[in-house]
């Protein structure tokens, strides 16, 4: 353990030097104390489509429930920004998704793969060669290699039960998840593909990805090797793939012998490609059902507390938080559109949110800095705080 600590420390110094040399993609967010968030460094060896092989230390974000575990595992794979925005693609976290999964009892690992975040620069194993000559298989192999490396590392963590784990991914991370599934690493019991694919450009070719038949052929050829049931979630207004291409990909996968339950959800926001982050209210019930079917029956849904007679919603003076929070955050909450939620911590911390997954995000904003467990004070037009005796 001491040797591994020295290795991690040395890699952290190397990472810091690299970030200074290249310029950090974005400011690091505050670690979520309530999720016991850590950022570790994991050396991975990958090969690009031209045969070049490199070993690089990647950021591995870890979220875990309170306690010693061991807890089942989710490894979540991120997507790929368009060329113009890749340099700003920082360490990946998927915080709302991770909060939901931690509340179900999972440890969540999010690897920021080689070529992203602080490893952006001179080596990109997910460069597929351009729109007209796109090669998808090397991308899927390089990305899934890193998920399997994260899995191997997870087996060394005493609080992780790697004998029961689920692969998840969004966009190119969804492509990665399908590849992980056909490689059948030990302990894999399920896999969820959120809007998976490759070759999309929402600005120059909205809904018309490069060479979609490449993915059809790849998934048809490998589908029969997948031993776990999969869940696929796509959105009608996905500007990367459009509404029809994912259905062709799913047909190819099932014709090839794979088992995948496809859900095409209604339009979400301006671009449903980001549905994993902006449409939790709709996908969570589907995922809950799937996870229960494969053995994870503890719900992560936040129950809406009943209205109480603590006070009127607009009685700002009785909100049990600081004067600054009453004058600032709470009054902004009152002006916000429904759905909305306001949460308060035991030491006066506060957080609020409006829109999708409002209760979960309000609780997260409230408790992430201190780690103290918060409770909902108001939801929509109701005060839900317990009445004073």
């Amino acid at each position: 353990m001491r040797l591994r600590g020295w290795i991690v420390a040395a890699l952290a110094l190397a990472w810091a030097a690299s970030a200074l040399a290249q310029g950090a993609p974005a400011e690091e967010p505050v670690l979520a104390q309530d999720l016991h968030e850590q950022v570790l460094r994991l050396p991975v060896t990958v090969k690009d489509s031209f045969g070049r092989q490199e070993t690089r230390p990647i950021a591995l974000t870890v979220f875990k429930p309170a306690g010693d575990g061991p807890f089942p595992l989710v490894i979540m794979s991120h997507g790929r920004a368009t060329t113009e925005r890749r340099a700003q693609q920082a360490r990946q976290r998927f915080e709302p998704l991770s909060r939901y999964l931690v509340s179900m009892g999972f440890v969540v690992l999010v690897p920021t793969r080689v070529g992203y975040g602080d490893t952006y620069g001179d080596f990109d194993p997910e460069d597929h060669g351009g729109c007209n000559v796109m090669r998808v298989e090397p991308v899927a192999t390089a990305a899934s290699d890193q998920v399997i490396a994260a899995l191997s590392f997870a087996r060394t963590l005493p609080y992780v039960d790697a004998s029961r784990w689920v692969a998840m991914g969004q966009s190119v991370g969804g492509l990665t998840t399908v590849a992980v599934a056909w490689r059948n690493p030990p302990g894999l019991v399920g896999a969820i593909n959120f809007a998976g694919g490759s070759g999309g450009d929402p600005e120059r070719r909205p809904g018309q990805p490069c060479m979609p038949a490449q993915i059809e052929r790849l998934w048809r050829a490998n589908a029969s090797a997948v031993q776990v049931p999969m869940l696929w979630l796509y959105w009608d207004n996905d500007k990367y793939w459009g509404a029809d291409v994912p259905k062709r990909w799913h047909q190819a996968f099932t014709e090839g012998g794979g088992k995948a339950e496809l859900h095409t959800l209604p339009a979400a926001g301006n671009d449903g490609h980001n549905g994993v982050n902006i449409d939790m209210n709709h996908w969570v019930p589907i995922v809950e059902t799937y996870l229960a079917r494969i053995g994870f029956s503890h719900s992560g849904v936040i129950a809406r507390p009943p209205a109480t007679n603590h006070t009127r919603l607009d009685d700002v003076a009785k909100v049990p938080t600081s004067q600054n929070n009453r004058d600032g955050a709470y009054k902004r909450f009152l002006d916000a559109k429904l759905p909305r939620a306001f949460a308060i911590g035991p030491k006066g911390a506060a957080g609020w949110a409006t829109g999708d997954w409002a209760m979960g995000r309000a609780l997260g904003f409230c408790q992430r800095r201190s780690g103290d467990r918060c409770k909902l004070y108001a939801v929509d037009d109701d005060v839900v705080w317990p009445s004073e005796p």
Side-chain angles (χ1 to χ4, degrees):
M1 293 297 291
R2 181 174 295 177
L3 176 60
R4 191 176 75 189
W6 280 108
I7 291 172
V8 170
L11 289 173
L13 288 173
W15 169 54
S18 173
L20 287 172
Q22 297 179 19
E27 184 178 348
E28 272 289 294
V30 174
L31 296 181
Q33 298 298 320
D34 59 316
L35 301 181
H36 309 280
E37 181 179 4
Q38 300 179 71
V39 185
L40 307 178
R41 304 302 299 181
L42 177 66
V44 296
T45 301
V46 287
K47 184 183 293 185
D48 68 13
S49 60
F50 307 101
R52 176 183 171 187
Q53 182 171 293
E54 296 280 347
T55 299
R56 300 288 174 93
I58 63 171
L60 184 67
T61 302
V62 183
F63 301 98
K64 68 177 288 291
D68 297 330
F71 304 103
L73 172 69
V74 167
I75 301 180
M76 177 66 188
S77 297
H78 63 80
R80 181 179 180 86
T82 54
T83 302
E84 306 78 32
R85 299 179 182 178
R86 287 249 346 279
Q88 286 76 46
Q89 196 167 349
R91 176 174 66 89
Q92 301 294 288
R93 300 174 70 244
F94 291 97
E95 186 179 336
L97 167 69
S98 296
R99 286 186 175 281
Y100 163 69
L101 293 170
V102 168
S103 72
M104 292 191 73
F106 287 101
V107 167
V108 181
L109 301 186
V110 186
T112 300
R113 300 187 302 274
V114 175
Y116 303 87
D118 57 77
T119 63
Y120 174 81
D122 65 336
F123 179 57
D124 181 8
E126 296 177 26
D127 181 355
H128 56 56
C131 193
N132 295 324
V133 292
M134 189 172 78
R135 298 177 61 203
V136 178
E137 187 168 7
V139 173
T141 300
S144 59
D145 280 344
Q146 295 171 76
V147 173
I148 292 171
L151 173 65
S152 296
F153 178 75
R155 293 196 188 100
T156 71
L157 301 174
Y159 52 83
V160 172
D161 176 10
S163 70
R164 299 170 62 232
W165 74 282
V166 180
M168 297 185 186
Q170 185 260 347
S171 192
V172 170
L175 176 87
T176 303
T177 299
V178 178
V180 168
W182 77 57
R183 296 178 69 171
N184 292 303
L188 183 70
V189 295
I192 301 179
N193 161 21
F194 290 97
S198 183
D201 189 328
E203 296 175 0
R204 289 177 290 190
R205 300 184 312 278
Q208 298 180 350
C210 301
M211 302 179 70
Q214 282 265 353
I215 293 180
E216 286 184 54
R217 288 192 289 269
L218 180 66
W219 286 355
R220 182 181 282 110
N222 291 282
S224 63
V226 178
Q227 296 178 9
V228 299
M230 294 193 70
L231 174 65
W232 291 17
L233 298 160
Y234 289 83
W235 281 260
D236 269 337
N237 66 327
D238 189 317
K239 291 185 178 179
Y240 281 69
W241 325 130
D244 295 328
V245 168
K247 296 173 185 175
R248 288 163 43 194
W249 289 341
H250 179 259
Q251 181 179 354
F253 184 80
T254 55
E255 287 176 351
K259 295 180 180 179
E261 175 187 332
L262 173 66
H263 290 262
T264 303
L265 299 178
N270 293 323
D271 184 358
H273 191 68
N274 193 35
V276 66
N277 295 312
I278 64 172
D279 199 29
M280 291 185 68
N281 284 340
H282 291 109
W283 67 249
V284 163
I286 300 170
V287 168
E288 288 258 316
T289 300
Y290 170 80
L291 291 174
R293 197 161 59 239
I294 62 174
F296 304 103
S297 57
H298 182 75
S299 177
V301 174
I302 298 167
R304 188 190 194 282
T308 67
N309 59 1
H310 172 72
T311 190
R312 300 188 321 274
L313 183 73
D314 60 356
D315 190 351
V316 177
K318 288 192 177 180
V319 180
T321 186
S322 68
Q323 188 66 47
N324 283 342
N325 283 335
R326 287 195 288 268
D327 291 341
Y330 192 72
K331 288 185 177 179
R332 290 195 295 273
F333 160 79
L334 290 176
D335 290 336
K337 295 180 180 179
L338 276 58
R340 61 188 180 180
F342 192 92
I344 296 174
K347 298 176 184 176
W352 70 279
T354 183
D356 182 63
W357 205 245
M359 291 189 294
R361 289 189 299 114
L363 288 167
F365 292 144
C366 178
Q367 58 199 36
R368 61 184 301 185
R369 287 180 179 269
S370 68
D372 294 329
R373 188 174 182 83
C374 294
K375 295 190 297 184
L376 292 167
Y377 176 81
V379 178
D380 294 336
D381 288 332
D382 295 323
V383 174
V384 298
W385 195 257
S387 301
E388 296 178 3

